[in-house]
Structure formats: C-alpha cells, structure tokens
C-alpha cells in the first residue's frame, strides 16, 4: 500500500513539474515573441516586471530585465504562500516562477509579427492557457494568484478589485511608455488572458447540481465516493408522467469536478435526471481541496 501511495505522490509531483514547465514555455513565448516586440504589457507581476524593465532601460542606472524582475517581485509572494497556503504548493510555485524566469532570459525576443493587436491577442491567449493549466494542476504562477487564493480562503471573496486596480496601473503605464493605442491593446490582452485562463482553470467555477432519481441511496454513496461533497435530500417527489416516486438530491460542486460527478452517476443511476446551474455566490462552508 505504501508503494502505491509513493507512486501516486511521485506521479503527482511529476505532473506539477510538467505543468510548471508548460507555463514557463507559454509565458516565455508570450513575452519574447509577442508582448515585447508588440509593446504590450501583461497583467500582474509579469506586467510590473515589464514596466520596470522599460523604465530601468530608459532612465535607471541599473537595467532590471523582465526575467530578473519577475523572480524578485515574486519573493514576497513565496513567503506569503509558505505561511498561509502550504509548503508543497509554494515549492512548486517557486519552480514555475524559476522556470519562467530562466525561459524568458534564455529565449531572445523574435519579431514574429509587428501588428500590436495580434501580439496582444496571441500573447495573452498563450499566457492565459499556461496560467490556467498551472492552477488546474494545483500550482500557482506566483504574483497576484497567491494573494487571490489567500483572500478567497479567508473572506470568500475574490481578489477582483485589487487585480483590477493593479492592472489599470499597468495599462496607464503602457500608455505613457508607448502611446495610448498600446494601452488599449494591453487592455484587450488582459481580457483575452482572463477569458482563456477561466476556460482552462475550472476549479473556481461553482455549479449547483440537482439530481432526480429513484435510487437515492445508491446515488449518494456513489457521489460521495467520487467527491467530497455534502448532499441535501428532498423526499416524496413525484414524476408527472408516470406518477412514480422520486427523490431530489441537491449539492454544489466545482466545474472541475464535473467529470467525477458524471462518472458517479453512470455507475449509480444512468437514467437519473441531472441539471447543473452556475452559482453566483455561496454563503457557508464549501470544501476546498488543499493545494
């Protein structure tokens, strides 16, 4: 049994390192092939590193390149993650940021295309995919991601307002550095980055699930074997077509768990009626797996 656990842990670690490497490749290509040649700023700490790179290159006595700035500005986030989230999570976040810094440093900027609109869209899509995949694999890309996790766990709220304020600052800086059209292109890139990241990282999206079944005991056992979720039972429901007895089960899951739920339903009651509705807000305890 211990050998199986060790194998699972090793496979989990390998998948996290692979996700960190994929993120590093995506952000390195985004920075050096699209954002830098197109004069586009990213969001969060990466955008801050780009801004410091621009300012220090123009007026500063010491030039701080994007790769170095990305790592330096993430050091406080490593400390927060180590204390508030988890040691394993922080170690893999450190690995992902380190890989990204090395990748950006080693991969020299190449002007694939000069259109800033295309640079903003494709660079942000690449970065959004890499970031979302890393988060989905249980690691972070550093920066405001760590603050977001800490604030969400502590208050139940997202870091949206802080993120928005920080990114507005980056957009204004892009306007002063390269002209206001580039600020608009950077703003468009932020939207694309967010949308692609949300499509890739589904763990934070909540769904209310309603199951209508004639086999409630079997369904409950199967769902709870696959998912760590509470279930509310409503007895004495009646089907309008055959007037047969039904039971309604209600639970809440993350979109990331949809596959596990579908597998549980296929095992327990393939003929059950299941509907899923996006949840705007949850009050009360919603179990979050440890990272």
């Amino acid at each position: 049994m211990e050998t199986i656990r060790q194998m699972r842990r090793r496979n989990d670690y390998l998948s996290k390192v692979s996700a960190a490497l994929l993120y590093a490749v995506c952000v390195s290509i985004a920075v050096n092939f699209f954002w830098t040649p197109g004069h586009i700023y990213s969001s969060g700490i990466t955008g801050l590193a780009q801004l410091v790179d621009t300012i220090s290159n123009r007026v500063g006595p010491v030039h701080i390149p994007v790769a170095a700035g990305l790592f330096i500005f993430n050091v406080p986030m490593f400390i927060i993650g180590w204390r508030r989230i988890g040691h394993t999570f922080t170690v893999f976040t450190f690995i992902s940021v380190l890989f990204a810094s090395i990748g950006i440093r080693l991969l020299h900027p190449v002007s694939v295309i000069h259109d800033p609109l295309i640079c903003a869209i494709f660079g942000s899509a690449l970065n959004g995919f890499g970031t979302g995949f890393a988060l989905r694999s249980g690691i972070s890309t550093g920066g405001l991601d760590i603050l977001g996790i800490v604030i969400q766990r502590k208050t139940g709220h997202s870091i949206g307002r802080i993120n928005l304020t920080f990114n507005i600052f980056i957009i204004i800086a892009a306007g002063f550095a390269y002209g206001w059209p580039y600020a608009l292109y950077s703003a468009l890139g932020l939207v694309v980055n967010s949308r692609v990241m949300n499509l890739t990282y589904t763990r934070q999206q909540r769904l209310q699930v309603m199951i209508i079944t004639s086999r409630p005991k079997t369904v409950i056992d199967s769902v709870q074997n696959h998912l760590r979720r509470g279930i509310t039972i409503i007895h004495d429901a009646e089907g309008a077509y055959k007037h047969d007895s039904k039971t309604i089960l209600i639970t809440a899951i993350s979109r990331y768990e949809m596959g596990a739920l579908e597998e549980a339903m296929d095992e327990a009651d393939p003929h059950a009626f299941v509907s899923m509705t996006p949840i705007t807000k949850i009050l009360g305890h919603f179990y979050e797996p440890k990272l």
Side-chain angles (χ1 to χ4, degrees):
M1 183 62 71
E2 190 62 32
T3 303
I4 295 175
R5 288 180 181 176
Q6 290 176 350
M7 290 177 60
R8 287 179 178 174
R9 186 178 302 167
R10 184 164 55 249
N11 290 337
D12 181 56
Y13 287 171
L14 286 174
S15 69
K16 290 179 187 297
V17 172
S18 300
L21 183 60
L22 177 63
Y23 162 71
V25 171
C26 288
V27 73
S28 299
I29 294 174
V31 169
N32 292 304
F33 283 33
F34 296 102
W35 288 337
T36 299
H39 303 309
I40 304 299
Y41 281 155
S42 175
S43 61
I45 298 298
T46 306
L48 178 62
Q50 290 178 279
L51 176 60
V52 171
D53 171 70
T54 301
I55 295 174
S56 64
N57 190 41
R58 291 182 180 180
V59 299
V62 178
H63 178 220
I64 303 176
V66 176
L70 179 64
F71 188 84
I72 292 169
F73 298 142
N74 269 294
V75 171
M77 303 303 169
F78 297 149
I79 297 172
I80 293 173
W82 185 270
R83 293 179 176 176
R84 297 294 185 90
I85 299 177
H87 294 177
T88 302
F89 171 84
T90 306
V91 167
F92 284 107
T93 299
F94 173 84
I95 291 172
S96 70
V97 174
L98 180 64
F99 282 177
S101 298
I102 293 173
I104 293 171
R105 180 69 182 87
L106 295 180
L107 194 64
H108 296 289
V110 177
S111 296
V112 177
I113 192 165
H114 296 284
D115 189 331
L117 178 61
I118 295 178
C119 288
I121 292 174
F122 278 88
S124 299
L126 264 175
N127 184 72
F129 173 76
T131 303
F133 190 83
L135 290 170
R136 183 172 179 170
S137 300
I139 64 174
S140 167
T141 58
L144 299 183
D145 297 342
I146 292 177
L147 283 180
I149 293 171
V150 171
I151 290 175
Q152 186 179 42
R153 284 186 174 184
K154 194 171 184 63
T155 67
H157 300 294
S158 70
I159 196 177
R161 186 171 297 177
I162 298 174
N163 233 325
L164 180 61
T165 304
F166 193 91
N167 289 332
I168 287 175
F169 166 74
I170 297 295
I171 291 170
I172 293 174
F176 279 110
Y178 298 116
W180 296 108
Y182 290 95
L184 296 178
Y185 294 135
S186 296
L188 175 63
L190 298 184
V191 174
V192 173
N193 182 85
S194 176
R195 293 293 297 173
V196 174
M197 186 173 68
N198 285 337
L199 288 173
T200 309
Y201 176 56
T202 56
R203 197 183 295 270
Q204 87 285 11
Q205 301 172 26
R206 313 289 186 237
L207 299 172
Q208 177 177 288
V209 180
M210 182 177 69
I211 304 169
I212 302 176
T213 178
S214 55
R215 304 172 62 187
K217 178 69 167 61
T218 307
V219 170
I220 291 171
D221 290 343
S222 182
V223 169
Q224 292 186 331
N225 282 336
H226 286 77
L227 304 167
R228 185 174 173 177
R229 295 294 169 204
I231 299 173
T232 299
I233 307 171
I234 302 176
H235 296 286
D236 301 325
E238 181 181 343
Y241 183 65
K242 295 183 178 179
H243 297 282
D244 48 350
S245 178
K246 299 286 185 180
T247 300
I248 300 175
L249 308 176
I250 299 176
T251 187
I253 65 172
S254 68
R255 191 177 292 273
Y256 180 75
E257 296 169 316
M258 280 180 59
L261 178 69
E262 291 173 4
E263 184 178 338
M265 293 307 303
D266 285 341
E267 292 178 4
D269 187 0
H271 303 292
F273 179 82
V274 182
S275 65
M276 303 182 193
T277 308
I279 297 174
T280 304
K281 185 176 182 179
I282 290 180
L283 299 176
H285 178 69
F286 183 83
Y287 170 73
E288 296 278 5
K290 288 186 178 181
L291 296 173

